[in-house]
Amino acid sequence: TVDGLTAGLRAHGYQLLLGSTDYSAEAEEALVRAVLGRRPDGLVIAAGEHTAATRLALERARIPIVETWDLPDRPLGLAVGFSNVDAGRAMTEALAGWGYRAIAFAGGDPADSLRGRLRRDGYLAALEARDRVTKTIRTYTDTRLTRRELNRFERRGAKALGRTRGAVERQT
């Protein structure tokens, strides 16, 4: 994402300014205020649950806004992304189609990440449609804590797929 944005913007005489919010709506609000204070020509922002103040500030800025990583019901401007529900469902259906019978979802606190919550909803829908038992494993910003959770799951006969976030399956 960053490399693609950088190349595309540079080709048109723009530079990319990055900011990180660690999935915090309050940090996003502060970051948006700081960025808008620099009078940018446009803003690319991860879709999510923006505060009312963030939405208002972006609407008042009257600049192009592009939301990424989801397809929000009420985009701030343009939206470039995908359905996280469909992604979670497709991932789970692929694992089930490959013969895995007990599939767990590893994700952060659902209260902290709309996109993670939507992917988990797709996972749950896929398994419920197959009458399968669901298992959610909490992941953490601190990858050591996530690895500890995955190791505990693996000790019970599971095999982790991916890195610290994503699908975990157990063959039974």
Side-chain angles (χ1 to χ4, degrees), residues 40-158:
D41 292 315
L43 189 77
V44 177
I45 189 169
E49 296 173 310
H50 310 294
T51 66
T54 296
R55 290 189 75 85
L56 183 61
L58 292 171
E59 289 165 4
R60 287 182 175 167
R62 299 195 185 285
I63 59 172
I65 307 291
V66 178
E67 287 185 279
T68 62
W69 290 102
D70 198 10
L71 297 174
D73 292 334
R74 293 181 337 144
L76 294 163
L78 298 174
V80 178
F82 51 90
S83 165
N84 281 279
V85 173
D86 290 347
R89 182 181 298 117
M91 170 198 68
T92 306
E93 289 174 350
L95 289 169
W98 293 332
Y100 297 112
R101 296 184 345 200
I103 304 167
F105 180 85
D109 185 342
D112 292 340
S113 171
L114 173 63
R115 292 183 304 279
R117 187 168 58 245
L118 293 172
R119 285 189 296 271
R120 188 200 62 202
D121 290 349
Y123 154 81
L124 292 171
L127 287 187
E128 288 168 1
R130 293 174 175 266
D131 292 324
R132 300 273 179 91
V133 174
T134 62
K135 168 72 176 155
T136 300
I137 296 173
R138 169 99 189 264
T139 60
Y140 301 87
T141 303
D142 182 337
T143 57
R144 291 172 300 182
L145 294 174
T146 299
R147 177 53 42 203
R148 184 191 69 200
E149 290 295 312
L150 291 173
N151 286 340
R152 187 170 13 180
F153 190 65
E154 288 172 330
R155 280 192 300 273
R156 294 193 308 260

